[in-house]
Amino acid sequence: MFTGIVEELGTVTGVEEQGDAIRLSIGASTVLADAGLGDSIAVNGCCLTVVTRTDVEWTADVMQETLDKTSLRGVKPGDRVNLERAVTPQTRLGGHIVQGHVDGVGEVISRNPSEHWEVVEISLPEHLARYLVDKGSITVDGISLTVVDAGEKSFTISLIPETLARTTLGFRAVGDRVNLEADILAKHVEKLLQTGHIR
């Protein structure tokens, strides 16, 4: 589990094609401070497992399912990625509960900067629209964000300078693909209402 508070921007250092998977190598420092083999690190919101590590780099195997359903397909050396270690019982929940299980991929539709923030509009896969509400939570490329306006086909977020400086949303361009994860609480409530198991 994660909080959606990005700890650092890592750099993709290698992509080894393996047919129906890739082995992804990422340069990092902060997330490697206490990372062990088998630990989870979110990469642009995708929960990946540490397979090997050194003091400056780690690798993860990315299977076909993840490549099919996330923006990690097409990642290449030199790309910057958002990184976050899994939470611990002592971690502050500064964002919201994030699983690292991407629900869909959206595209940046527009960017409208102002003096102190920037409003970004992102397309929304149809099956995710029901989970978004104004001022609710959404995870974009692993970043916990507040929805400004929730539409049927898109939504907007307002980014402060800190988010622009410390995450991939500082340089995502119109047309770029981003990973989206809806709020898990909304999905659980929907399931309970469908099955009628609320007492």
Side-chain angles (χ1 to χ4, degrees), residues 124-189:
L124 185 63
E126 184 177 347
H127 70 283
L128 294 183
R130 65 184 181 270
Y131 299 124
L132 268 67
V133 295
D134 294 356
K135 307 307 179 280
S137 296
I138 182 76
T139 307
V140 180
D141 267 358
I143 309 161
S144 173
L145 295 164
T146 300
V147 176
V148 176
D149 290 310
E152 289 299 311
K153 296 184 178 180
S154 68
F155 66 97
T156 59
I157 49 178
S158 185
L159 305 178
I160 61 173
E162 178 73 3
T163 305
L164 293 168
R166 294 177 53 89
T167 74
T168 56
L169 287 180
F171 51 81
R172 287 279 184 246
V174 171
D176 282 355
R177 300 169 75 236
V178 291
N179 292 321
L180 304 175
E181 181 184 330
D183 191 339
I184 185 62
L185 297 178
K187 290 185 275 188
H188 277 300
V189 169

Side-chain angles (χ1 to χ4, degrees), residues 4 7 19 67 70 73 84 98 102 104 106 111 128 138 170 187:
E7 294 186 271
L67 294 173
T70 75
R73 176 182 294 283
E84 181 193 355
V98 175
V102 173
R111 302 191 66 123
L128 294 183
I138 182 76
K187 290 185 275 188

